Amino acid sequence: MNESTDRPGGPDLLELPLPKPGECPFGPPPEMAGLRERTPVVRVKCPTGLTAWLVTRYDDVREVLGDAERFSSRAGQAIHLMAHADPERPVGDLEFSRLDGADYQRFRRTIGPELSTAQRMAELRPMVQALVDERLDALAAAGPPADFYGDFAVPVTTAAIGGLVGVPYADRELFHNAAAVMFSGATSRADVLEAMRPLHEYLFTMVVTRRATPADDSLSRIIARSEASERPYTDVELVGICAALLVPGFDTSATVMAHGLLTLLAHPEELARLHAEPSLIPRAVEEIVRFLGGAPGIVRQATRDTEIGGHPVAGGDYVVLAMQAADRDTAAFPDPDRLDVGRRPNNHLGFGYGTHQCFGQQTARLELTVTLETLLRRVPSLRLAVPLEDVPFKTGSIVYGPAEVPVAWDAVLPVAAAGGRGTGPAGR
Ligand code: HEM
C-alpha cells in the first residue's frame, strides 16, 4: 500500500461506519450533518481498515466525481466496505468499471445505448409493465400479507435485468448468489471468485452462442457494435460486461424500490400528493433516490497532489464520497431533510455524477416509475402490515435498505378496472 494511504491518522481518527440509530431508517447517520458543517474533508478509517478522506459537501463530492483525471476509479468503487476488493490488485479483463480515460470510454460507448437512450427505454417499458402486473396478479392470488421486497421488488428487477441481458428468470440463482457474496462486507477474495465462477462459465457459453446466433437482446447488440469497432471485445470482456449488468442490476433497484415504498408509506401526506397528482411520479422517483441515497459511499484515488474544497489531498490518497450526506446538503437543496415528491430542481448524486455515473440509472428510473404508477392505480389500499419500527433492515450487505417490507391491502384491482397501463416515459 502506498505511503500516503498508510500514514497514521492520529488518535482522533474517525471510524466508519458512523452510528446510525434505528429511529432514522431513511437518512444518513446524524453525525454527517456536523461533519459537513465543520470538517467537510476529514480523515477516516474505513470498515476494511483503509484510511481515506471522507467528503460530505455536495459541491466537493460533485467536483471529485466530475474530475476523472485528478480522481481515478482504479481502486474500485466500494473498497472501503468490501474486504475482498484489494485496491492495489491489477485491473482484470472483467473489471471495466475500474478503468479510466479512453480505456473506459471504449466500454461506455458500446454498452451505454443499451441502457440509456429514450428509444431503448420506450422499448423496455412494456416488458417492465408486464412484469409489474404479473407480480401484482400473483400477490392478489396469494392474498395479503406479502413481503413487498422479496415477493415483488426482487422478482421484478431480477426478471427485468435478466430479460434485458438475455438470461432467463429460471437461471437467476447464478447472479443472485454472485451478488450476495460480492456485496457482503465480510467475504474473502477466494469466496468471491468461487461464487462468480458458475456465473462466468454460464455467461461464457452465452457469449459464444450469441456470437454464432444473435438474438434480440442487449448482449447480441453489444457484440454487433463491438465487432464494428476498431478494437472488438474479447469473449472474456463480454462476460465481464454481462456480469457487470446482472450483479449490480437487480438488488440496487429492488432495495430502493422497497425502501422507497416504505418511505412513502411513512410519509402519508406525500403519498396522498401522488394519488392526487400522478404526474408527479417521475419527480417522486428522483426524490426517493436523493432522499435515500443510492450508494454507501463511492471511492476514488487522487492521481496527484491536489485539494478538495481548499483542503490538501496527497497523490495516492483514497477519497470516500458520502453521496447520501451530499444529497442532504442545505447549500444544494432547500429543506433537504424533508421528503418532497414535487421537488424541482433535483440534481441529486444518487446515481453518481460524471464519467462513471450509473450505467443502469434509466433502467432503474423506468422500474421505479412503472411500479409507483401501477401501485397507485391498482392497489390504492396498500399499507404496512407491521409498525414501521418492526421493519427489519439488512445487515451484512453493502446495499442498505429493508430486509423485508410486510404489506397488506384490501383489493388488487385488475389491469382494465384500474384504467389500463401507463404509457408515459420515465425520467426527470
Ligand atoms: C436505484 C438503483 C441504482 C442506484 C441507486 C445505483 C447507483 C449507482 C452509483 C452511485 C454508481 C456510480 C459508481 C461510481 O461513480 O463509481 C453506479 C454505477 C453503476 N451502476 Fe448503478 N445504481 C442503480 C441501479 C443500477 C442498475 C439497474 C444497473 C444495471 C442495469 C446498474 C449498473 C451499474 C454499473 C454497471 C455501474 C458502474 C459504472 C462504472 O463504473 O462505469 N445500476 N450505480
Side-chain angles (χ1 to χ4, degrees):
M1 195 167 283
N2 87 36
E3 206 182 295
S4 60
T5 51
D6 245 2
R7 67 171 179 250
D12 297 332
L13 194 67
L14 192 67
E15 289 210 19
L16 296 184
L18 298 174
K20 190 164 154 63
E23 61 269 23
C24 64
F26 309 119
E31 251 183 85
M32 285 286 185
L35 291 178
R36 206 173 45 222
E37 200 58 36
R38 290 185 292 276
T39 44
V41 182
V42 64
R43 204 83 180 139
V44 290
K45 185 168 180 195
C46 303
T48 55
L50 193 86
T51 308
W53 297 106
L54 180 74
V55 181
T56 44
R57 280 191 184 158
Y58 179 91
D59 284 348
D60 294 342
V61 169
R62 202 167 135 123
E63 182 188 324
V64 172
L65 287 172
D67 193 340
E69 251 182 54
R70 269 193 305 149
F71 298 99
S72 164
S73 290
R74 195 173 189 86
Q77 286 168 12
I79 43 149
H80 59 312
L81 299 172
M82 303 198 304
H84 59 78
D86 171 9
E88 308 254 313
R89 72 195 191 283
V91 180
D93 283 350
L94 294 160
E95 296 184 290
F96 68 85
S97 81
R98 290 179 58 209
L99 296 172
D100 294 313
D103 287 342
Y104 174 71
Q105 286 307 331
R106 172 177 167 242
F107 287 86
R108 192 96 201 177
R109 260 198 311 274
T110 326
I111 310 166
E114 279 312 305
L115 293 163
S116 56
T117 63
Q119 187 197 333
R120 191 72 193 113
M121 290 307 112
E123 286 164 9
L124 285 176
R125 185 177 250 272
M127 172 186 77
V128 174
Q129 182 69 64
L131 292 171
V132 165
D133 280 321
E134 278 162 28
R135 281 318 300 170
L136 284 185
D137 291 342
L139 293 191
D147 167 18
F148 183 78
Y149 172 62
D151 297 334
F152 179 91
V154 172
V156 165
T157 59
T158 296
I161 192 65
L164 196 139
V165 177
V167 177
Y169 191 70
D171 294 331
R172 65 191 178 283
E173 288 279 294
L174 284 161
F175 58 96
H176 276 198
N177 291 345
V181 176
M182 175 77 90
F183 296 133
S184 148
T187 42
S188 68
R189 184 91 192 122
D191 288 343
V192 172
L193 293 176
E194 197 55 38
M196 294 299 280
R197 183 174 304 125
L199 176 66
H200 286 160
E201 285 169 2
Y202 176 97
L203 292 174
F204 188 79
T205 307
M206 201 169 103
V207 163
V208 172
T209 310
R210 291 295 193 283
R211 269 205 204 278
T213 320
D216 181 18
D217 56 31
S218 294
L219 173 56
S220 304
R221 283 186 293 271
I222 289 170
I223 292 174
R225 249 179 244 127
S226 138
E227 281 174 356
S229 73
E230 272 178 18
R231 213 177 122 205
Y233 294 130
T234 63
D235 289 345
V236 174
E237 285 174 330
L238 286 164
V239 166
I241 290 170
C242 294
L245 298 180
L246 292 166
V247 173
F250 73 97
D251 199 33
T252 43
S253 294
T255 302
V256 172
M257 198 180 269
H259 208 176
L261 177 72
L262 188 64
T263 310
L264 287 172
L265 293 175
H267 293 80
E269 63 304 332
E270 292 301 301
L271 188 56
R273 281 178 80 190
L274 291 183
H275 273 292
E277 210 181 327
S279 62
L280 288 180
I281 288 173
R283 288 196 216 168
V285 166
E286 299 307 321
E287 179 66 346
I288 285 168
V289 175
R290 178 195 75 85
F291 196 70
L292 298 176
I298 291 287
V299 176
R300 295 289 188 262
Q301 187 172 22
T303 55
R304 54 176 185 268
D305 290 354
T306 182
E307 52 179 55
I308 300 174
H311 190 290
V313 168
D317 277 1
Y318 295 109
V319 179
V320 174
L321 304 164
M323 349 268 275
Q324 208 189 15
D327 276 344
R328 299 288 188 107
D329 189 342
T330 44
F333 301 94
D335 205 359
D337 291 324
R338 182 170 109 73
L339 181 79
D340 171 3
V341 295
R343 188 179 289 276
R344 199 176 195 182
N346 192 348
N347 296 315
H348 64 79
L349 304 173
F351 289 117
Y353 177 75
T355 321
H356 280 265
Q357 65 180 280
C358 180
F359 254 111
Q361 59 185 288
Q362 299 301 2
T363 314
R365 284 188 172 104
L366 179 67
E367 292 166 342
L368 295 168
T369 303
V370 171
T371 294
L372 265 184
E373 282 173 0
T374 313
L375 289 179
L376 291 181
R377 241 186 3 250
R378 293 193 60 195
V379 211
S381 58
L382 192 67
R383 55 185 177 273
L384 262 185
V386 298
L388 179 61
E389 51 280 14
D390 290 352
V391 172
F393 275 73
K394 292 191 215 183
T395 51
S397 168
I398 67 164
V399 183
Y400 179 73
E404 246 179 70
V405 180
V407 288
W409 58 87
D410 298 329
V412 176
L413 304 179
V415 173
R421 292 175 166 177
T423 51
R428 284 179 187 216

